[in-house]
Amino acid sequence: MSEFSIIENYFQGRSFQRRDVALGIGDDCAITDIPEGQSLAVTTDTLVNGIHFPESTPPILVAQKAVAVNLSDLAAMGAEPAWLSLSLSIPEHDEQWLHEFSLGIQQMSEYYSVQLIGGDTVKGPLSITITAHGFIPKDQALTRSRAKPGDLLYVSGSLGDAALGLDICKGLVHAHPSHKNFALDRLNNPSPRVLVGTMLRRIASSCIDVSDGMLSDLKHILYASQCGALVHVDKLPLSHAMTQTVSAEQAYQYALNGGDDYELLFTVPESLKGQLELALVNANVSATCIGQIAGLNEKLRLTLDGEAYTTEINGYDHFEEECSE
Amino acid sequence: MSEFSIIENYFQGRSFQRRDVALGIGDDCAITDIPEGQSLAVTTDTLVNGIHFPESTPPILVAQKAVAVNLSDLAAMGAEPAWLSLSLSIPEHDEQWLHEFSLGIQQMSEYYSVQLIGGDTVKGPLSITITAHGFIPKDQALTRSRAKPGDLLYVSGSLGDAALGLDICKGLVHAHPSHKNFALDRLNNPSPRVLVGTMLRRIASSCIDVSDGMLSDLKHILYASQCGALVHVDKLPLSHAMTQTVSAEQAYQYALNGGDDYELLFTVPESLKGQLELALVNANVSATCIGQIAGLNEKLRLTLDGEAYTTEINGYDHFEEECSE
């Protein structure tokens, strides 16, 4: 079966269909329209077998994660997802695998109302590259560069679960089956915080998604905003599965340096704290204040129960770190 | 060196800078703006080492080809190129390779006034995925589906040179050094027909770029437009290098079935023939009339000097065909 028929057979017409797509899969390009007054947000992420997901991950979860990590980047800008382009490298033409993978793409497409508008398929080691497109009202994008000293630092959901899941899958940590399932689900099936992102548009001063580890991603905000920060380690949001599986000290390490959380880390001016809390309640979303932005000369400081806390900042570097079951 | 610093160090700020890019490389997404009245054309193409380019191809040419094949898809829709997203899979962090590759991206970016707006770098076998974005006035996209019986069939430039180059590089064909250089240059450094594409906007009834082989790509037009066609094999445009290197029969085969030409194959209503010829002269571009669109029941017929000509249609299928030097 040729490249052409792989895309045609498995992906064409099988995603959510949007009115702003004049022409989808099947020509040299897709043709799309942007609503007036909106900018376009564009992001690209590649997942490689054995590095970004364990070898044995079911194809439906691979597809879901590939879409999710891209939607998470859109969420971090406050953008509303619209379209996906897919490049799939597969070692052989495996009908069952392709069927299940395309089902995963379809489910994400329908859940988030995004349309798959094009793609390419090549023979090679399993990897998936997605370019995701979204809309954001002009001049409302949540960048990394506008945090100010005094802004409160928040994170959505809980931290470190995916890294815990990775260590469970590697056999380095043993967990109760229900905690194991929770942590593996957080690793393999992350939920991009799309709603939180759009909700933060006129509230947050800066935002990033936590993909490399909270501290590592916080450093991107601090670098781009030329600020320092104080983080209260005892306030880090930890899941029940986390606190029941490892010691407090290990949990802090997962929460500070674990990758693949896909939560949003954002800063909010103190004057907008009330507005944020109202919005969180309305959207039924949890976010925790974990610290405060400081001046550049105060650098990045951590405290635990009021005492200085020291840790290495180990950004989760996919390029150097391999995971295989 | 981490993913983060590879993108920052080799690509950020090193491409043509456009005013419609509000935010380029360095945040979770790029933020861009589309001019009023324009639609967005989006295309994705992946090149794999040893399949889409020979193993020994210099990195600067790999970069140029990866950009060119994507701009060729934009050209085939009549779109004006604007932005590129890049995903690069590389086996190791090779500074020299990355330097030369980024130089190739930079040169294409400057030549075609496109900006690299984002990217991802992963460790893996060498492959390059680019998503290219361009603008096209609303409702003027050149699709595959609007050819009509009676329309004249044209192709830009010359056909088959890249396939000849591939066979020369495989040692299957011997050529005079100057012809070899010409054919290898057509293989490794194709020129996307961006100007021709935009020029054809109000003239061509359908258009496709020749990437899989002329006949194979013509079939895409015929299928999408529900038409047949008559092609005059003796009228196929052949380069001097082609006619001096192989027999006429071999040359026809390269021209009919060779891949990677990245010329534009398009149809023009007879009533617009004069307008087309004027536009070609003004743009200093060559295109050759090689046949005519017919009714669906006439299927695809070939003639050579007025006699029926038969050939197999071997679409150049990257997925099944490997090239290695």
Side-chain angles (χ1 to χ4, degrees), chain A residues 58-81:
Chain A
I60 196 165
L61 293 180
V62 173
Q64 288 177 344
K65 184 160 186 177
V67 175
V69 302
N70 277 281
L71 297 190
S72 180
D73 280 323
L74 290 180
M77 299 303 282
E80 175 199 335

Side-chain angles (χ1 to χ4, degrees), chain A residues 1-4 6 8 22-23 26-34 36 38-48 51-52 70 72-77 79 83 85-93 117-125 127 129 131 133 136 138 141-145 207-209 212 220 223 316-320 322, chain B residues 1-4 6 8 22-23 26-34 36 38-48 51-52 70 72-77 79 83 85-93 117-125 127 129 131 133 136 138 141-145 207-209 212 220 223 316-320 322:
Chain A
M1 188 174 287
S2 71
E3 279 178 51
F4 181 72
I6 285 180
E8 300 271 303
L23 194 64
D27 213 303
D28 293 297
C29 297
I31 303 289
T32 59
D33 290 304
I34 318 282
E36 219 170 301
Q38 305 273 318
S39 291
L40 184 72
V42 184
T43 183
T44 297
D45 263 308
T46 299
L47 300 191
V48 177
I51 296 182
H52 301 91
N70 277 281
S72 180
D73 280 323
L74 290 180
M77 299 303 282
W83 321 306
S85 300
L86 164 73
S87 170
L88 176 61
S89 168
I90 40 175
E92 57 184 351
H93 179 218
I117 56 169
D120 196 6
T121 315
V122 297
K123 187 175 186 172
S127 81
T129 297
T131 299
H133 302 82
I136 176 100
K138 273 191 209 302
L142 301 172
T143 67
R144 302 174 179 181
S145 59
C207 187
I208 193 170
D209 71 325
D212 295 336
H220 292 320
Y223 178 78
Y316 181 78
D317 191 338
H318 295 299
F319 197 78
E320 283 158 11
E322 297 219 15
Chain B
M1 187 175 286
S2 71
E3 279 179 51
F4 180 71
I6 285 180
E8 300 270 303
L23 194 63
D27 213 304
D28 293 298
C29 296
I31 302 291
T32 58
D33 289 305
I34 318 280
E36 220 171 298
Q38 305 274 316
S39 290
L40 184 72
V42 184
T43 183
T44 296
D45 263 307
T46 299
L47 301 191
V48 177
I51 296 181
H52 300 91
N70 277 282
S72 180
D73 280 323
L74 291 179
M77 300 304 281
W83 321 306
S85 299
L86 164 74
S87 170
L88 176 61
S89 168
I90 41 175
E92 57 183 351
H93 178 218
I117 57 169
D120 196 7
T121 315
V122 296
K123 188 175 183 171
S127 80
T129 297
T131 300
H133 302 82
I136 175 101
K138 274 192 209 299
L142 301 171
T143 67
R144 302 174 178 180
S145 59
C207 186
I208 193 171
D209 72 323
D212 296 336
H220 291 320
Y223 178 79
Y316 181 79
D317 192 338
H318 295 299
F319 198 78
E320 283 158 12
E322 297 219 13

Side-chain angles (χ1 to χ4, degrees), chain B residues 239-284:
Chain B
S239 65
H240 180 69
M242 177 70 80
T243 56
Q244 295 300 301
T245 304
V246 296
S247 70
E249 179 53 32
Q250 282 178 295
Y252 296 147
Q253 284 307 314
Y254 281 123
L256 290 168
N257 289 319
D260 274 348
D261 283 320
Y262 302 107
E263 297 294 347
L264 295 186
L265 180 70
F266 56 96
T267 59
V268 174
E270 274 202 282
S271 60
L272 295 180
K273 190 182 170 188
Q275 206 176 320
L276 170 71
E277 288 180 357
L278 188 63
L280 290 171
V281 169
N282 285 341
N284 194 23

Side-chain angles (χ1 to χ4, degrees), chain A residues 201-217:
Chain A
R201 276 178 194 166
R202 288 161 180 280
I203 298 173
S205 51
S206 73
C207 187
I208 193 170
D209 71 325
V210 181
S211 56
D212 295 336
M214 193 278 283
L215 282 183
S216 180
D217 288 312

